[in-house]
Amino acid sequence: MTNVGLNMNDIYKMTIGFDQIFKGLDNLNSFPPHNIIKLSDTEFVVELAVAGFSKEELSIEYEYDVLTITGDARKDDKEYLHKGIASRHFSKKLKLASLYKVSGANLKDGILSVFITRHVEESNRITIDLA
């Protein structure tokens, strides 16, 4: 049996307009590690491991159906013999379907939780009385 590797260049040659999806997939594995948890059919939580970041060093923006979470750790004057807790700048972007909105966030025990809720808007249905 031959081992067939996945070559992204071959996929790019066979698709049109999927480049943003592939870039989004690349972003999933970047720093910091994260979880996406389904609480119900209409509620989700995105958790990011942000140990070492203060509330002031984190920002959350939601614009044009893109959730952007940014961390910008301040430099400190400590002399580290070993620095295993990363505190580098990051920007994580997650594309949300248009029905989903960011409903809140909190930072507890080094985990940033961003809450996402599905908002079902009123129907645009028009009733015509033919009588």
Side-chain angles (χ1 to χ4, degrees):
M1 181 176 247
T2 305
N3 184 9
V4 179
L6 180 63
N7 185 340
M8 292 306 284
N9 288 329
D10 291 337
I11 292 175
Y12 287 132
K13 291 178 194 175
M14 297 183 300
T15 61
I16 296 173
F18 290 95
D19 52 327
Q20 291 301 319
I21 293 171
F22 295 133
K23 286 179 186 174
L25 291 173
D26 290 340
N27 187 35
L28 289 177
N29 294 323
S30 64
F31 176 81
H34 73 280
N35 298 325
I36 300 175
I37 303 166
K38 180 179 180 180
L39 300 175
S40 71
D41 287 341
T42 61
E43 297 176 305
F44 299 84
V45 177
V46 176
E47 293 180 331
L48 280 82
V50 292
F53 285 86
S54 69
K55 189 183 276 190
E56 295 76 30
E57 294 169 325
L58 298 168
S59 73
I60 301 168
E61 296 178 14
Y62 178 68
E63 189 173 49
Y64 303 113
D65 299 333
V66 175
L67 170 62
T68 304
I69 304 168
T70 306
D72 198 9
R74 296 184 180 97
K75 295 284 184 186
D76 61 29
D77 296 331
K78 297 175 186 168
E79 181 181 346
Y80 291 91
L81 299 179
H82 171 75
K83 186 166 172 51
I85 300 172
S87 59
R88 62 183 182 262
H89 173 81
F90 72 87
S91 180
K92 184 168 291 281
K93 294 180 184 284
L94 299 169
K95 175 79 170 145
L96 304 182
S98 60
L99 291 177
Y100 291 88
K101 305 294 181 221
V102 175
S103 58
N106 72 1
L107 178 63
K108 183 179 178 186
D109 300 330
I111 301 292
L112 175 64
S113 299
V114 180
F115 300 93
I116 299 168
T117 305
R118 181 178 178 195
H119 291 275
V120 180
E121 298 187 16
E122 294 296 320
S123 173
N124 290 330
R125 186 179 205 174
I126 299 171
T127 304
I128 301 172
D129 187 5
L130 300 176

